Amino acid sequence: MEVIIQPDKKAASSLAARIVAQLIQRKGECVLGLATGNTPLMLYKELIRLHKQGELDFERVTTFNLDEYVGLSPSHPASYTSYMWENFFKHINIPAHRVHIPDGLAPDIPAFCRQYEGAIKAAGGIDIQVLGIGTDGHIGFNEPSSSLASRTRIKTLTKQTLEDNARFFNGEENVPHHVITMGVGTIMESRKCLLMAFGKKKADVVARMVEGPITAMVPASILQMHPEAVVIIDEAAASKLERSDYYRWVYDNKPDWQKY
Ligand code: GLP
């Protein structure tokens, strides 16, 4: 796991954007795994800026989103489909047919999930998976106790996540209880994972993910087993890490050829 501590979320998001931009510029036809929530908003803003400046072309980029609420129409303002189009896709030149977001209204959810997994494979697998982290340690919507080998499937949200996401739904009672999420195993097959976390609220869970044991009770901790997991955090989210001095030292002493 590479842990990179940046002064604030702006610097952290610019660095994450640089990593994504380098992939697009190098590979052209590439596959991005995308996340929602507050955390990646500045990353998307920065990618949009680079696109508008003529530095990034999304014509041959394919995307797969991590998750979506079950029973929510894509046009619902709190759906992840609305989020992605509002905050990212409508501002870039990605062809609509290259965008994939789980269908919360799929009549046969297990069949849809199998098809989603098949589509990721058919696209050649995910090059970079962007991730946030829930305060309970979830990635995507893989709540604590999720199998670390799980595939795309339906999940039931924890009370904690219902509370955390209530702000998007005018109260906890309106948050759908079920979601479709890529599995932990699906995420682990991405060639690179790029997890961001910002703010004091994430400090505990970041410490458990990076320095705690690998456990299904903190699904994000499985990233310790990923060959290319990059964790980009701000000072506040890093505040409970025991080895932060070491992570800073490693980053400051990266050989030139390894720098982003
Ligand atoms: C939701 C999403 C996750 C995201 C998490 C954290 O639960 N399903 O993919 O990482 O929220 O959200 P935020 O970035 O707003 O803290």
Side-chain angles (χ1 to χ4, degrees), residues 240-255:
K240 301 226 166 136
L241 287 168
E242 273 178 30
R243 304 246 163 187
S244 52
D245 287 347
Y246 176 63
Y247 311 136
R248 285 182 226 276
W249 192 86
V250 170
Y251 187 65
D252 292 343
N253 289 282
K254 251 168 142 27

Side-chain angles (χ1 to χ4, degrees), residues 23-60:
L23 169 77
I24 300 172
Q25 285 156 351
R26 177 172 50 81
K27 207 172 167 192
E29 187 157 345
C30 64
V31 181
L32 298 179
L34 299 177
T36 52
N38 279 332
T39 308
L41 283 173
M42 283 184 101
L43 161 68
Y44 296 145
K45 277 213 174 88
E46 179 61 9
L47 291 173
I48 293 165
R49 193 185 67 80
L50 292 172
H51 167 69
K52 298 225 151 111
Q53 271 185 8
E55 287 176 46
L56 275 187
D57 181 7
F58 288 87
E59 190 67 44
R60 295 188 300 142

